[in-house]
Amino acid sequence: MGQTLGDVMKVNGFSRYAVIDDRGDNVKDEIQNLLQQVGSLVYWSDRVPWMERVAR
């Protein structure tokens, strides 16, 4: 049976995050869509809330 990127999204009960550096050029939509298949997107400009979550 084939695996998809979404199959690794919550492996072993851990959440996956993909950090997007939004300080400069825009990240292409197709790249963001690909990253969303394996985890939650978080943006560098909005780093304070998600850094507090992952630092626990």
Side-chain angles (χ1 to χ4, degrees):
M1 179 183 269
Q3 298 277 327
T4 65
L5 291 175
D7 292 337
V8 299
M9 188 172 210
K10 292 191 178 183
V11 171
N12 297 329
F14 293 99
S15 297
R16 307 293 191 266
Y17 292 94
V19 179
I20 304 268
D21 185 354
D22 57 351
R23 295 175 291 178
D25 295 336
N26 289 336
V27 177
K28 294 180 180 178
D29 287 340
E30 56 266 10
I31 293 173
Q32 289 189 46
N33 292 337
L34 178 66
L35 291 171
Q36 283 180 318
Q37 292 179 42
V38 295
S40 300
L41 294 184
V42 291
Y43 296 89
W44 183 252
S45 62
D46 196 27
R47 67 189 169 277
V48 173
W50 62 259
M51 285 185 89
E52 290 175 355
R53 280 196 313 257
V54 299
R56 292 184 197 159

